[in-house]
Amino acid sequence: MDKGMKILVVDDFSTMRRIIRNLLRDLGFNNAEEADDGATALPMLKTGRFDFLVTDWNMPIMEGIDLVRAIRADPDLRELPILMVTAEARREQIVAAAEAGVNGYIVKPFTAQTLEQKIAKIFERLGAAA
Amino acid sequence: MAQSAMQLESLALARRLVDAIEAGDANHADDLIKALHDGRFDALYQEIGKLTRDVHDTFANLAGDERLVSLAQRQMPDARERLRYVVEKTEEAADRTLTAVEKMIPMSDNMVQQASTLRMAMADGKADVPARMTSFLDVVESDGRKLRSSLSDVLMAQEYQDLTGQVIKRTIDLVGQVEEKLVELVSACGVVASGASATPATSNATSFGPAVREDDNVCRQADVDELLANLGF
């Protein structure tokens, strides 16, 4: 896993974006940018050459689940690894997220350790598949 | 199933109607059809009349209920304002805490880093150890003071809990009162109120927000991991 990879953090609450960016920095990922909902994130992803996406679910204008679907439907973005970090915790939602194509799912509130584990697992699996 | 008096009467009329038609007595049959029709509508009109009176009385009572007037005109808008205050206060507190923490993290990194280079210099028996020691102590002293002040900031930022807690408790009371009035209204309108539904109403939204109570359908991280593992993740 490349610690210099470019990460986009999408959440409508600026405090949560700050928390995630700080946790990422603690894990050695210093190259992160932010967007406040799916509609803002999608154009950034299209032009910004991001390597990893961390997104919330419940956001105004374009929800995280729709962002995931839009990414998987886009030929240029479909390979982008996605970690969903959300307070949405119903079984059917987790199944829906898996079907939409997320690579990992974290329920809020979460710990730094969970974030570290899930990111490691995603890139371990992608490495094994490559 | 027991039949109402109205149903029994309709049934008797219907039997007589069949008899009249079979007997070829058209005039009598017409009378019977009219009687059947009128009987049914009389009962219906009576029922509607009763319901209308009930609803009217209920609204009249509600309109005269000062608690309800105050709820609608003053307390609900006030509650919205207060909840907005909660959102502002909690955001402010989170911001203040994060700013303090973001200041402290590089300071503590710096202290740790300087301590380990100093330790190495000491182990190597370098000549400038006393000078390094002095500069390290300077850093510890000045950054230590800054850390102390940032920590106080984090501490003070928690005051929001007291303020927002009070506002939220009042709002919970208010919601309870509104619920009580709504239940009164619903039962007065003849709808059977079967108690609060255990599951929140579903809408077209795909998101539900944070799970505030334990429920078979709600997953914690371990459940999420298990579910995803079952799905081949």
Side-chain angles (χ1 to χ4, degrees):
Chain A
M1 179 178 14
D2 172 17
K3 294 269 178 175
M5 68 177 170
K6 195 170 169 190
I7 305 173
L8 185 62
V9 178
V10 190
D11 198 305
D12 54 333
F13 279 88
S14 66
T15 46
M16 187 43 75
R17 294 198 300 268
R18 278 175 82 178
I19 289 170
I20 293 176
R21 279 187 74 169
N22 274 299
L23 291 174
L24 287 171
R25 197 174 301 132
D26 274 357
L27 297 175
F29 301 103
N30 287 303
N31 191 7
E33 287 184 29
E34 297 178 20
D36 58 6
D37 88 308
T40 322
L42 201 53
M44 289 176 76
L45 290 167
K46 281 181 176 164
T47 56
R49 298 194 158 276
F50 284 90
D51 303 301
F52 185 43
L53 172 69
V54 179
T55 183
D56 184 23
W57 180 315
N58 185 11
M59 293 179 289
I61 310 178
M62 186 184 200
E63 295 204 317
I65 190 76
D66 295 324
L67 177 63
V68 174
R69 291 185 182 124
I71 288 167
R72 292 297 177 241
D74 185 315
D76 295 329
L77 296 176
R78 59 159 37 112
E79 302 293 328
L80 181 71
I82 303 172
L83 175 63
M84 191 159 250
V85 179
T86 173
E88 304 298 326
R90 289 163 174 249
R91 295 185 74 84
E92 65 267 23
Q93 291 178 300
I94 293 146
V95 173
E99 282 169 359
V102 298
N103 300 76
Y105 198 105
I106 293 177
V107 280
K108 292 176 192 168
F110 65 102
T111 64
Q113 197 196 9
T114 305
L115 184 68
E116 182 173 21
Q117 281 171 358
K118 299 306 161 198
I119 293 176
K121 195 172 174 203
I122 288 172
F123 285 95
E124 197 183 287
R125 289 180 63 103
L126 287 175
Chain B
M1 201 205 299
Q3 287 176 311
S4 70
M6 199 182 96
Q7 280 175 314
L8 287 172
E9 199 186 323
S10 300
L11 188 62
L13 278 169
R15 288 204 172 110
R16 282 165 57 200
L17 175 61
V18 172
D19 291 345
I21 293 170
E22 279 175 354
D25 186 346
N27 284 340
H28 189 41
D30 281 351
D31 289 345
L32 285 167
I33 289 170
K34 190 169 180 306
L36 259 172
H37 180 267
D38 290 350
R40 184 144 282 278
F41 279 89
D42 278 353
L44 188 61
Y45 291 143
Q46 273 173 26
E47 202 51 37
I48 291 175
K50 186 177 167 301
L51 270 177
T52 311
R53 261 194 313 282
D54 283 353
V55 172
H56 176 267
D57 290 351
T58 305
F59 278 113
N61 287 340
L62 283 174
D65 185 338
E66 279 171 24
R67 282 289 306 129
L68 191 73
V69 174
S70 138
L71 274 175
Q73 291 186 340
R74 203 171 49 76
Q75 288 175 280
M76 289 301 277
D78 188 46
R80 274 207 315 241
E81 205 47 54
R82 284 165 181 272
L83 285 178
R84 220 169 276 133
Y85 167 85
V86 170
V87 173
E88 268 167 34
K89 273 285 169 194
T90 49
E91 190 177 345
E92 220 173 75
D95 236 25
R96 198 170 156 192
T97 306
L98 285 166
T99 301
V101 170
E102 281 169 359
K103 260 195 234 161
M104 289 190 283
I105 286 174
M107 281 190 259
S108 64
D109 286 349
N110 186 32
M111 273 191 213
V112 170
Q113 209 241 321
Q114 292 220 19
S116 55
T117 45
L118 179 58
R119 190 189 298 279
M120 271 192 289
M122 285 165 76
D124 294 346
K126 290 225 167 111
D128 64 347
V129 163
R132 279 169 182 258
M133 185 84 87
T134 309
S135 103
F136 177 65
L137 290 176
D138 286 347
V139 166
V140 170
E141 242 170 17
S142 82
D143 281 4
R145 258 185 234 112
K146 286 183 205 149
L147 285 174
R148 181 72 180 75
S149 127
S150 283
L151 284 170
S152 304
D153 227 23
V154 170
L155 189 81
M156 291 313 295
Q158 309 313 308
E159 70 180 353
Y160 80 93
Q161 170 56 31
D162 174 32
L163 305 169
T164 58
Q166 290 182 42
V167 171
I168 292 171
K169 275 188 194 145
R170 279 159 172 271
T171 311
I172 291 171
D173 284 349
L174 181 63
V175 169
Q177 288 172 28
V178 172
E179 184 181 356
E180 216 171 87
K181 288 291 167 197
L182 282 175
V183 168
E184 269 176 35
L185 183 61
V186 165
S187 53
C189 288
V191 181
V192 181
S194 57
S197 163
T199 49
T202 50
S203 67
N204 288 331
T206 61
S207 53
F208 300 86
V212 289
R213 62 180 155 205
E214 295 287 317
D215 169 337
D216 285 349
N217 201 22
V218 167
C219 297
R220 278 178 288 191
Q221 190 62 45
D223 307 320
V224 173
D225 294 348
E226 196 191 324
L227 186 57
L228 289 179
N230 290 339
L231 292 168
F233 274 70

